[in-house]
Amino acid sequence: MEEIWERSLSPERIAYLAQSRIPEIIFCNTVLLVIATAGLLVRLFVRIRYLTGINLDDVLCITSWVFTFVLCVACMLMTKYGFGKHIGTVSSFSDRAMFLKLDFVTMLAYVLALGAIKVSFCLLYLHIFPGKIFRMACWWILAILVAETIEETLVVIFQCQPVYKAWDATGLVEGKCVDMTVFYYANFGIKLATDVALFVMPIPKLLQLKMATGKRVGLVVMFSLGLLVCVTSIIRVTYFNPFSNDHTWVLVDAMNWSCVEVAVAIFIACIPSFKSLISYRFPALQRLLGLASKDDSVGPSKMYGSSGRRTYNALSNRGRNSIKLKPVTGHSRTDVETNGSQERIVHSGIQVTTDVSVKQSV
């Protein structure tokens, strides 16, 4: 190939075709896999070792990581078939067809990875935040996310009729295909609105917590990091271009940002577990960072509780506004009044405590 270039192409054309973004693709996807994997391992370690074990939101986080792994590995494999180089360097139709097949895999993996991790966020909110209106809103967003994921999956699979026309490099297969760029633009507004609602929704709840201002701000910042997913989604959509003849080159930026979006979402979903890890394994670092409070203890029973909720005289506080306990002696009676959710909520390393006022009458 190089000899042909030297004989028939200008030096400028040879330099143009020799351009390569393969090192950038390999580096980007490797780093993203390391980040997402590290976050997931910390989350699973904390859950299994210190908390209540694996829950459904953790299963969805693992599912998202699996599809993210497929996405990143497929992107790196595509470099063997021209991805990251100009299409003029890919002379074999079989290589071009394999590139298109792997591109088809990446589209599916991206949709499923992002859908799984967003649903995981919703399930996390349902597990730790009380409030009927909040939970109803959360269920609505959950339903929208599931519907979006199913819709996008079906569109990707059946973007062409027949389906295998999607990876036809010769142009000889008869049929028609959906313009996926138009579809992504049309779908972007709905997805962005859903994402913003998903990541902003818990902030009012956090602002109502009765705790030190620094800790409250820290929790708000931690949950607000989810908005970075929206930022990466916006950046990604700016790189969408109509399908180009030089698609092995022009797809690089959009594909890299797709991988960034899902990897960042997974890592952000795992961030709360890092606080629990620091609290138990590195208490000195916890105090240095100002994460400890005067009632914190390094013991797992104190830090995480012995169960998912607290009880008073075998009565569980499940969202009731007041609990009247049975008389202990004579005419004495103790009324335990609660303000909102008075139990300690520990999930994914998030610990929320509120005050309990006890009134005693004789």
Side-chain angles (χ1 to χ4, degrees), residues 84-342:
K85 302 199 75 174
H86 292 287
I87 193 67
T89 63
V90 188
S91 57
S92 169
F93 280 108
S94 62
D95 285 351
R96 295 187 184 190
M98 182 57 70
F99 167 83
L100 292 174
K101 287 179 182 178
L102 290 171
D103 183 43
F104 186 85
V105 170
T106 61
M107 287 191 284
L108 266 180
Y110 166 79
V111 169
L112 294 171
L114 201 57
I117 196 62
K118 288 179 182 178
V119 171
S120 174
F121 274 103
C122 265
L123 293 178
L124 173 66
Y125 297 164
L126 287 169
H127 200 95
I128 65 176
F129 290 112
K132 182 178 179 180
I133 296 178
F134 178 89
R135 294 176 68 81
M136 286 180 61
C138 203
W139 278 113
W140 273 108
I141 291 179
L142 179 60
I144 293 172
L145 289 173
V146 172
E148 282 181 352
T149 303
I150 294 173
E151 170 234 0
E152 289 189 51
T153 301
L154 293 176
V155 170
V156 169
I157 293 174
F158 300 107
Q159 61 184 281
C160 290
Q161 293 295 331
V163 173
Y164 57 86
K165 183 174 174 58
W167 52 83
D168 171 39
T170 64
L172 300 177
V173 177
E174 295 183 0
K176 57 182 180 180
C177 292
V178 174
D179 188 334
M180 293 301 290
T181 302
V182 173
F183 169 73
Y184 285 137
Y185 276 123
N187 206 38
F188 173 70
I190 299 173
K191 288 187 63 178
L192 183 62
T194 307
D195 292 351
V196 171
L198 173 66
F199 296 118
V200 169
M201 189 166 54
I203 294 179
K205 284 282 186 183
L206 298 172
L207 292 175
Q208 296 171 7
L209 295 177
K210 296 179 180 179
M211 58 172 59
T213 302
K215 288 191 174 185
R216 186 165 60 247
V217 170
L219 277 175
V220 170
V221 170
M222 182 173 67
F223 275 86
S224 299
L225 288 175
L227 293 172
L228 289 177
V229 178
C230 301
V231 174
T232 57
S233 181
I234 293 171
I235 295 173
R236 171 180 174 267
V237 82
T238 62
Y239 287 106
F240 283 161
N241 293 302
F243 194 80
S244 168
N245 289 331
D246 197 13
H247 50 274
T248 54
W249 178 267
V250 300
L251 277 178
V252 172
D253 287 319
M255 197 70 77
N256 282 349
W257 279 104
S258 296
C259 298
V260 169
E261 185 178 1
V262 291
V264 166
I266 290 174
F267 186 77
I268 290 173
C270 300
I271 283 179
S273 296
F274 282 85
K275 181 181 182 298
S276 292
L277 182 67
I278 292 173
S279 298
Y280 186 70
R281 303 294 294 185
F282 309 103
L285 180 60
Q286 179 192 20
R287 290 189 292 271
L288 180 65
L289 296 175
L291 300 175
S293 60
K294 62 183 180 179
D295 58 340
D296 285 340
S297 170
V298 296
S301 61
K302 293 291 185 183
M303 184 181 306
Y304 304 104
S306 58
S307 65
R309 61 180 183 272
R310 288 193 172 184
T311 59
Y312 298 90
N313 283 10
L315 292 178
S316 172
N317 178 12
R318 294 186 178 180
R320 299 178 182 177
N321 291 326
S322 65
I323 299 176
K324 292 186 177 181
L325 302 184
K326 295 179 180 179
V328 178
T329 57
H331 298 287
S332 297
R333 186 181 67 195
T334 301
D335 293 335
V336 180
E337 297 182 354
T338 63
N339 299 318
S341 175
Q342 302 303 329

